[in-house]
């Protein structure tokens, strides 16, 4: 990755571009005090001017997007940058699920070495791809940091370039080697820093060589056929139960009937129903003794009127919108004796109880 680092004057109005720099590594991200002094002298700024720095990422030709530093590690020479605006053309960094090993073939992506001298911007067509194998995996004894060494020829343009596995996932990042050899910071070290700063990434699933067999396909087909058979049996059972429930409701409505000496009048349409059953249920359900249609406020099993000799009692069955008699709301499970002319409210549906 490369970008443009620029300084900002005291009032935030004068932006002075610095030369292009690699910004994948921590080195060179911030202006040192000497650099700020030199820049101030070069551009004839006031000695007391407050100089800060800004960083832009350059990609897709000449598109520049401002970034801020989320975190960095001088020991690992690694910096984490965050875009200052949301872009649709972005992907989550994907690390390899297979651990790096000696002899493993890897690829290194770099820009040409003269990136800081070139006037025009770089694009994807300028990326240089080199391939080789991992020669050694070791830890820095001083800082306990894991590194990969490989045999890919490189120049200064490789600094900060990603080291990739054959599936395109990241194994590490190229860093400066003290002895001039090819060295990369291991991906595990990068992931640790990302997790520390709560930056999201993904790990590519491990690719294991598996001998394919027809048995999983056959077993899957048998399971699917069994599921279809079970569904058909459940559908048949459901239809049988519905027929049985219908017969039971019919028997319940026709047996144990008493001569009606009370009726319930629905005031909406002045229709009435005789209270013949000793336990007369009311609600929006088709299974109720009296089904109340056209009102969504009425619960499926809303209330019940029970008969004890010549007395009638109303009880709420835990309805959503409640039951009341002459304006008094019933508690769930409370039974209230009804008298001729009582006004009953099931939710917002009004009825009148009439008794001879």
């Amino acid at each position: 990755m490369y970008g443009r680092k620029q300084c900002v004057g005291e009032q935030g109005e004068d932006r002075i571009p610095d030369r292009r720099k690699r910004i994948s590594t921590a080195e060179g991200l911030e202006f040192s005090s000497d650099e700020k002094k030199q820049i101030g002298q070069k551009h004839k700024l006031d000695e007391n001017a407050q100089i800060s720095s800004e960083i832009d990422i350059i990609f897709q030709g000449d598109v520049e997007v401002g970034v801020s530093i989320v975190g960095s590690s001088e020991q690992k020479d690694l910096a984490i940058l965050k875009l200052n605006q949301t872009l649709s053309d972005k992907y989550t960094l994907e690390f390899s699920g297979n651990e790096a090993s000696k002899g493993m073939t890897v690829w290194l992506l770099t820009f040409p070495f003269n990136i800081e001298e070139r006037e025009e911007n770089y694009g994807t067509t300028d990326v240089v791809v080199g391939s080789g194998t991992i020669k050694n995996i070791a830890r820095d004894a001083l800082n306990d940091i894991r590194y990969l060494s490989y045999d890919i020829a490189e120049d200064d343009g490789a600094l900060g370039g990603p080291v990739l596995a054959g599936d395109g996932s990241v194994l590490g990042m190229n860093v400066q080697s003290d002895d001039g050899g090819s060295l990369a910071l291991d991906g595990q070290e990068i992931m640790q820093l990302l997790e520390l700063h709560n930056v999201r990434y993904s790990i590519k699933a491990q690719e294991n060589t598996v001998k394919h067999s027809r048995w999983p396909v056959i077993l899957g087909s048998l399971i699917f056929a069994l599921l279809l058979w079970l569904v058909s049996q459940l559908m048949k059972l459901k239809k049988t139960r519905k027929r049985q429930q219908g017969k039971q409701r019919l028997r319940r409505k026709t047996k144990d009937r008493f001569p009606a000496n009370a009726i319930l009048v629905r005031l909406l349409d002045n229709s009435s129903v005789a209270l013949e059953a000793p336990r007369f249920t009311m609600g929006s359900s088709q299974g109720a003794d009296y089904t109340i249609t056209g009102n969504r406020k009425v619960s499926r099993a809303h209330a019940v009127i029970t008969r004890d000799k010549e007395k009638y009692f109303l009880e709420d069955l835990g309805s959503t919108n409640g039951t009341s008699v002459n304006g008094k709301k019933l508690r769930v499970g409370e039974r209230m004796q009804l008298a001729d002319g009582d006004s009953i409210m099931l939710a917002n549906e009004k009825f009148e109880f009439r008794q001879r």
Side-chain angles (χ1 to χ4, degrees):
M1 184 182 298
Y2 77 107
R4 187 193 312 279
K5 184 173 68 173
Q6 59 188 5
C7 64
V8 183
E10 184 174 12
Q11 303 300 324
E13 297 175 353
D14 299 324
R15 283 173 168 75
I16 306 165
D18 188 28
R19 61 181 182 174
R20 293 175 176 82
K21 287 183 175 293
R22 290 176 295 271
I23 57 176
S24 297
T25 57
E27 182 183 3
L29 278 177
E30 296 284 358
F31 285 108
S32 66
S33 57
D34 290 339
E35 285 179 317
K36 290 181 179 179
K37 185 176 181 180
Q38 293 174 6
I39 291 172
Q41 292 174 350
K42 178 180 178 181
H43 296 278
K44 299 179 181 180
L45 298 178
D46 188 273
E47 291 184 359
N48 298 321
Q50 297 295 321
I51 299 177
S52 59
S53 61
E54 292 182 353
I55 304 171
D56 292 333
I57 287 180
I58 304 173
F59 68 105
Q60 290 185 354
D62 60 351
V63 179
E64 298 185 11
V65 178
V67 297
S68 55
I69 302 174
V70 175
S72 63
S73 170
E74 291 186 5
Q75 291 181 347
K76 297 181 179 181
D77 195 16
L78 175 65
I80 302 175
L81 306 178
K82 179 182 179 181
L83 296 176
N84 293 336
Q85 65 186 77
T86 303
L87 299 178
S88 60
D89 186 16
K90 63 179 182 179
Y91 303 91
T92 302
L93 184 62
E94 187 175 51
F95 289 90
S96 176
N98 296 309
E99 187 174 353
S101 58
K102 290 183 181 180
M104 185 178 186
T105 303
V106 294
W107 282 260
L108 174 64
L109 273 57
T110 69
F111 280 120
F113 74 95
N114 61 340
I115 185 171
E116 297 182 355
E117 303 173 0
R118 182 169 168 172
E119 293 296 330
E120 66 273 15
N121 294 330
Y122 280 94
T124 55
T125 57
D126 297 304
V127 174
V128 178
V129 180
S131 63
T133 56
I134 295 178
K135 294 300 181 183
N136 192 25
I137 302 172
R139 285 191 175 275
D140 178 3
L142 180 62
N143 299 313
D144 192 31
I145 298 175
R146 177 175 156 122
Y147 291 98
L148 315 175
S149 61
Y150 42 89
D151 58 1
I152 304 176
E154 61 180 47
D155 52 38
D156 290 343
L159 187 61
V163 178
L164 307 179
D167 57 6
S169 57
V170 177
L171 283 169
M173 185 192 75
N174 181 273
V175 293
Q176 188 73 47
S177 173
D178 294 335
D179 58 7
S182 300
L183 195 67
L185 180 68
D186 186 72
Q188 295 290 336
E189 304 290 343
I190 302 174
M191 285 188 278
Q192 288 178 7
L193 191 61
L194 293 176
E195 291 173 2
L196 180 64
H197 294 281
N198 198 27
V199 177
R200 186 176 62 181
Y201 63 87
S202 64
I203 299 178
K204 195 174 185 68
Q206 294 186 7
E207 295 183 356
N208 297 320
T209 303
V210 179
K211 185 177 181 180
H212 294 283
S213 171
R214 291 189 302 172
W215 280 110
V217 178
I218 296 173
L219 183 59
S221 301
L222 291 174
I223 293 174
F224 182 70
L226 178 60
L227 287 174
L228 288 178
W229 179 81
L230 287 174
V231 170
S232 65
Q233 294 301 309
L234 288 174
M235 293 294 290
K236 290 180 181 179
L237 181 60
K238 186 176 180 180
K239 290 180 180 180
T240 303
R241 285 183 176 177
K242 288 185 70 175
R243 286 196 297 268
Q244 291 174 349
Q245 289 172 356
K247 292 177 181 179
Q248 290 173 357
R249 285 196 299 267
L250 182 60
R251 287 196 297 269
R252 186 184 66 187
K253 290 184 177 182
T254 55
K255 73 175 184 177
D256 297 331
R257 298 288 178 173
F258 297 92
N261 64 349
I263 61 173
L264 193 66
V265 180
R266 187 180 187 184
L267 299 186
L268 177 66
D269 55 9
N270 208 34
S271 61
S272 63
V273 59
L275 304 178
E276 296 178 332
R279 179 179 171 82
F280 188 84
T281 57
M282 299 170 290
S284 60
S285 171
Q286 294 294 326
D289 291 301
Y290 178 39
T291 302
I292 301 169
T293 59
N295 192 332
R296 295 185 178 180
K297 299 288 186 180
V298 177
S299 299
R300 291 176 57 82
H302 198 106
V304 61
I305 296 176
T306 55
R307 180 178 178 179
D308 185 3
K309 297 181 181 179
E310 300 301 321
K311 296 179 181 180
Y312 291 85
F313 297 87
L314 178 64
E315 180 183 346
D316 184 82
L317 296 177
S319 63
T320 302
N321 296 304
T323 302
S324 62
V325 179
N326 298 327
K328 180 182 178 182
K329 188 172 182 179
L330 302 183
R331 298 187 300 273
V332 178
E334 178 185 1
R335 296 176 71 221
M336 178 174 286
Q337 184 176 346
L338 297 174
D340 182 47
D342 280 349
S343 175
I344 298 174
M345 291 285 289
L346 304 184
N348 61 352
E349 190 74 45
K350 184 177 286 188
F351 298 86
E352 184 177 312
F353 175 76
R354 295 177 186 175
Q355 187 176 9
R356 297 185 183 89

